[in-house]
Amino acid sequence: MTPSDVKATLSFSDGSPAMDLPVYKGSVGPDVIDIRKLYAQTGKFTYDPGFLSTAACQSSITYIDGDKGELLYRGYPIEQLATNCDYLETCYLLLNGELPNETQKKDFTGLVTNHTMVNEQMQFFLRGFRRDAHPMAVMTGLVGGLSAFYHDSTDINNPEHREISAIRLIAKMPTLVAMAYKYGIGQPYIYPKNELSYAANFTRMMFATPCEDYTPNDVVVRALDRIFILHADHEQNASTSTVRLCGSSGTNPFAAIAAGVACLWGPAHGGANEAALTMLEDIQRAGGVEKIGEFIKQVKDKNSGIKLMGFGHRVYKNYDPRAKLMRETCHEVLDALGLQNDPLFKLAMALEKIALEDDYFVSRKLYPNVDFYSGIVQRAIGIPVSLFTAIFALARTVGWIAQLNEMIGDPEYKIGRPRQLFNGSVARNIKPIAQR
Ligand code: SDX
């Protein structure tokens, strides 16, 4: 980071000594005020629950401009990556900083392909779950459980361990998600097939059965590959910040990624795609497009506790560029599968149109985010709603790993340990129980 010639001066109205704080510039985006010496010099903390104005790290992986609705992975616009690259190229880019050449892509793809199988013991791990367990509960357990199988790659400070655990996690997530799905529907697991592409392998492990040959549908494979690309990384979102904080203790990569899976599950974060689709289905059941007005009224009523799921974003105060690409994918997939008249897609577009003309949403800069359309695409290709967030976790694993490795690779990193503003009881003495 580059020191800015601008300084920030902090002064206090009670005459406490003022202090100058250094300001640093990145290559693009907001400058930062370095407060690392604030507590030592003033005895005061900053206060920013939810981190609305806090940069927790410096990073060169993903840049978001929320006002422009811009998203770059290592400088490449998401629109170009989604149309010119595949997911494994994007993984290579996020991990290494550059897109692979032909040889690098072939080697990387070969490496990932040859790590897609999981230890046979994993099947017995799954058996401990109820068949109707939510797939994210299963995934949180399975990903954390990987650290029990790979003792040879759990030292996060060893670059070789970081490299092999990255490959293992990227390679095994599709296998684990498919196993969680098959376990839930009582079908046998389908082993990965090395001749298939990453996304085609996933569709086969999801939808094939031992009873007949299965040929992946190219439209479905391309749509899934694009979904993976769009969800691969997203700056310091809640689950990525969780992975960084968890990894900062020196725990192994599998445990840190399992923490990310657990955080992503929340409906305010990665669980929003499942919640958005459930919302659309509820409106559809209640009467469809004519019921949108009534639903929007409930959303505006603070006491209802109802939010328009798939809308709004902490950073995007313009249209989420991923939502635009996801809506395009919706059109492509629904047309290709002969589902042009999918009532839910029509309902979603009607809801989006009404919301974007309504001052409640316009004044709060609430636009559709990546989760608004992703559920419709996934439902159209046969993914059950309960598996949507597990697929988000599959795709985001490479982003979590890239961010974790960037942190561990930074010589300045320390264990994350935020402080607090304490407003509880000051010191007091215990009274004997008879006097309480
Ligand atoms: C993801 O961070 C990332 O990058 C996340 C993500 C990624 O790739 O990692 O992009 C993935 O998590 C996308 C977001 C998915 N979540 C949802 O779609 C759930 C619905 N959205 C909201 O929960 C909300 O918009 C958040 C959580 C996404 C953002 O919340 P903020 O930034 O804390 O904003 P806020 O709650 O302070 O909202 C500001 C105002 C409030 O109203 P007022 O108090 O000003 O009257 O907007 C309202 C909110 O009530 N509001 C909504 C709303 N989102 C915000 N009102 C109705 N419906 C919504 N969806």
Side-chain angles (χ1 to χ4, degrees):
M1 56 190 178
T2 319
S4 160
D5 11 357
V6 175
K7 287 262 175 292
T9 302
L10 186 60
S11 60
F12 299 92
S13 54
D14 63 358
S16 307
M19 73 178 283
D20 280 345
L21 297 164
V23 174
Y24 294 106
K25 287 182 167 314
S27 43
V28 65
D31 295 351
V32 296
I33 300 170
D34 184 347
I35 57 163
R36 283 175 288 184
K37 295 197 171 64
L38 180 74
Y39 178 58
Q41 291 190 16
T42 68
K44 292 181 175 58
F45 298 137
T46 58
Y47 183 67
D48 187 15
F51 311 117
L52 286 132
S53 302
T54 295
C57 63
Q58 52 180 316
S59 177
S60 57
I61 298 172
T62 294
Y63 176 70
I64 302 170
D65 183 321
D67 296 327
K68 286 191 211 158
E70 184 181 44
L71 167 59
L72 311 175
Y73 290 168
R74 300 286 191 179
Y76 293 106
I78 191 69
E79 296 80 0
Q80 293 186 32
L81 288 165
T83 40
N84 299 303
C85 298
D86 66 23
Y87 178 66
L88 285 186
E89 278 179 282
T90 306
C91 289
Y92 186 97
L93 171 67
L94 289 168
L95 292 171
N96 300 299
E98 296 298 337
L99 283 165
N101 60 32
E102 302 253 345
T103 311
Q104 290 163 332
K105 179 176 177 179
K106 186 167 164 291
D107 294 347
F108 183 74
T109 303
L111 208 46
V112 171
T113 302
N114 287 293
H115 281 85
T116 45
M117 274 208 300
V118 295
N119 188 299
E120 277 297 277
Q121 286 296 98
M122 270 290 184
Q123 301 185 37
F124 307 110
F125 194 173
L126 271 146
R127 279 190 200 159
F129 291 101
R130 286 173 38 151
R131 289 276 180 183
D132 61 353
H134 192 288
M136 284 301 276
V138 176
M139 286 307 296
T140 305
L142 291 181
V143 175
L146 284 176
S147 51
F149 291 93
Y150 298 109
H151 298 125
D152 64 340
S153 63
T154 53
D155 175 2
I156 201 160
N157 294 304
N158 177 330
E160 275 145 41
H161 285 205
R162 288 205 298 270
E163 174 149 7
I164 182 60
S165 55
I167 296 294
R168 281 173 164 153
L169 279 158
I170 293 165
K172 297 178 193 312
M173 283 299 275
T175 312
L176 293 175
V177 171
M179 287 174 78
Y181 171 60
K182 288 296 198 186
Y183 181 73
I185 59 173
Q187 281 189 3
Y189 305 123
I190 299 295
Y191 286 97
K193 209 170 173 119
N194 290 355
E195 72 203 37
L196 295 175
S197 70
Y198 189 85
N201 218 350
F202 178 62
T203 57
R204 183 174 170 281
M205 291 189 284
M206 280 284 295
F207 301 122
T209 67
C211 317
E212 54 195 13
D213 292 343
Y214 175 86
T215 310
N217 173 317
D218 289 345
V219 172
V220 170
V221 169
R222 185 72 200 122
L224 270 173
D225 196 78
R226 176 177 277 195
I227 288 172
F228 295 163
I229 291 173
L230 296 181
H231 289 81
D233 193 51
H234 212 240
E235 202 214 68
Q236 304 311 318
N237 59 83
S239 53
T240 297
S241 301
T242 300
V243 168
R244 278 179 172 258
L245 191 57
C246 184
S248 73
S249 72
T251 191
N252 69 77
F254 304 103
I257 301 304
V261 174
C263 175
L264 187 75
W265 190 1
H269 189 16
N273 53 19
E274 178 179 349
L277 197 93
T278 305
M279 172 190 75
L280 289 168
E281 286 174 337
D282 291 347
I283 299 172
Q284 188 64 15
R285 248 194 313 278
V289 178
E290 321 68 84
K291 289 294 177 187
I292 290 179
E294 201 178 301
F295 177 74
I296 294 278
K297 219 156 73 181
Q298 287 179 322
V299 169
K300 292 181 194 174
D301 168 10
K302 289 284 177 213
N303 303 321
S304 73
I306 294 174
K307 285 195 185 279
L308 187 54
M309 300 313 279
F311 264 68
H313 198 278
R314 172 62 59 76
V315 177
Y316 289 123
K317 300 307 170 193
N318 195 326
Y319 213 101
D320 180 339
R322 301 168 299 175
K324 268 193 199 120
L325 289 159
M326 199 59 82
R327 188 174 55 184
E328 268 172 40
T329 306
C330 263
H331 277 299
E332 287 161 21
V333 170
L334 295 173
D335 288 351
L337 300 178
L339 301 168
Q340 297 86 334
N341 298 322
D342 180 307
L344 235 46
F345 183 48
K346 290 191 178 310
L347 177 64
M349 290 197 291
L351 184 54
E352 174 194 317
K353 186 173 181 313
I354 292 170
L356 295 184
E357 287 161 4
D358 185 303
D359 185 55
Y360 178 91
F361 297 93
V362 175
S363 62
R364 289 169 176 80
K365 298 181 186 288
L366 300 177
Y367 292 87
N369 58 50
V370 67
D371 294 303
F372 188 61
Y373 285 103
S374 68
I376 299 166
V377 188
Q378 294 182 76
R379 176 178 161 274
I381 56 184
I383 308 273
V385 180
S386 63
L387 210 73
F388 288 176
T389 310
I391 288 182
F392 193 154
L394 183 168
R396 184 55 56 90
T397 293
V398 64
W400 289 329
I401 294 166
Q403 299 273 350
L404 176 62
N405 289 351
E406 180 178 67
M407 177 187 76
I408 298 294
D410 174 356
E412 281 188 1
Y413 103 88
K414 291 179 180 306
I415 185 168
R417 207 281 186 215
R419 301 303 301 273
Q420 63 182 7
L421 173 69
F422 183 72
N423 56 17
S425 301
V426 293
R428 52 182 174 162
N429 299 314
I430 292 173
K431 290 194 189 99
I433 193 161
Q435 294 172 28
R436 286 179 217 160

